Amino acid sequence: MERVFTPLDCLLPAAALRACADGGANRLYHITEGSQDSFLPDYISGDFDSIQPEVKAYYKAKGCELIETMDQDFTDFTKCLQILQKKIEEKGLQIDLIVTLGGLGGRFDQTMASVETLFHATNITPFPVIVIQESSLIYLLQPGKHKLQVNTGLEGSWCGLIPIGSSCDSVTTTGLRWNLANQVLKFGTLVSTSNTYDNSGTVTIKTDKPLLWTMAIKL
């Protein structure tokens, strides 16, 4: 069976630390069929209510660390991130960002749980956390001014700014086809979806509240 190219091929070999959150191990196991040994996680964490027994047994036999986390107040993604940060500190690893593959497809409540973890992430790790699934990427912008380079050739055509958690009372952008000028972003008022770029190659965003950036990507 021929294996389909995935983001794992370019991201995992360069990763300083690799982890799966519970059922994510099932996905990793199946999409790397025939070459699982080349994509072993350093650890798998969660309450283990989703990981398939044969998958758990396979990774345990390969020496992957299994960390059971029974706390039901946080999602497996959030708990996995907490463990990841501790291991980064213990190992003294030098990293640029944390990339999460998956978490944006399937059940809507679980998609929203992934978004909520990005809010927790600000108190867990000092590193940027991005979430990628298929052709979508999300990243939680903190209050302040941000500069994004969108001329790498990996960008798709669409992008958006979503005020999740609370309204944003002042958002100003440049580099978009439909820019915002000190505008309110709020559900029931205005949400910037299906936006695109003005070909300048740079987007700037100034926001007074946390604001979710989403964009199409090509991997």
Side-chain angles (χ1 to χ4, degrees), residues 56-201:
K56 184 178 180 181
Y58 172 81
Y59 285 123
K60 182 178 181 179
K62 290 296 180 179
C64 301
E65 185 179 7
L66 301 178
I67 304 172
E68 190 169 12
T69 55
M70 299 305 296
D71 185 351
Q72 296 300 309
D73 290 335
F74 297 102
T75 65
D76 287 328
F77 178 17
T78 300
K79 291 181 286 186
C80 187
L81 192 60
Q82 291 170 334
I83 295 168
L84 188 71
Q85 178 58 31
K86 288 180 182 178
K87 288 186 175 292
I88 290 170
E89 294 171 0
E90 290 170 356
K91 295 175 181 289
L93 298 175
Q94 300 297 313
I95 69 169
D96 299 313
L97 76 164
I98 297 171
V99 179
T100 303
L101 300 177
L104 300 180
R107 284 170 45 183
F108 181 71
D109 64 328
Q110 293 183 341
T111 297
M112 292 304 297
S114 294
V115 173
E116 199 244 353
T117 290
L118 295 184
F119 281 83
H120 285 297
T122 60
N123 297 316
I124 296 172
T125 178
F127 304 109
V129 179
I130 64 173
V131 180
I132 295 172
Q133 178 144 7
E134 297 178 352
S135 61
S136 295
L137 177 152
I138 64 172
Y139 173 61
L140 186 64
L141 301 171
Q142 295 303 310
K145 189 170 183 179
H146 304 267
K147 184 177 182 180
L148 309 177
Q149 298 299 328
V150 291
N151 57 358
T152 67
L154 297 177
E155 298 81 13
S157 60
W158 59 263
C159 61
L161 291 163
I162 317 296
I164 291 182
S166 65
S167 63
C168 296
D169 298 323
S170 176
V171 179
T172 298
T173 67
T174 65
L176 301 177
R177 182 174 180 185
W178 294 285
N179 280 306
L180 303 167
N182 195 31
Q183 288 178 259
V184 173
L185 289 185
K186 178 181 178 182
F187 281 98
T189 301
L190 175 66
V191 175
S192 178
T193 59
S194 299
N195 211 327
T196 189
Y197 311 106
D198 67 0
N199 297 319
S200 66

Side-chain angles (χ1 to χ4, degrees), residues 8-47:
L8 290 173
D9 295 85
C10 58
L11 293 175
L12 217 60
L17 197 59
R18 296 164 287 274
C20 288
D22 203 349
N26 300 332
R27 178 65 174 159
L28 177 65
Y29 180 83
H30 292 298
I31 66 175
T32 59
E33 184 177 355
S35 58
Q36 284 100 336
D37 284 3
S38 299
F39 298 94
L40 295 175
D42 294 288
Y43 72 87
I44 302 168
S45 67
D47 55 14

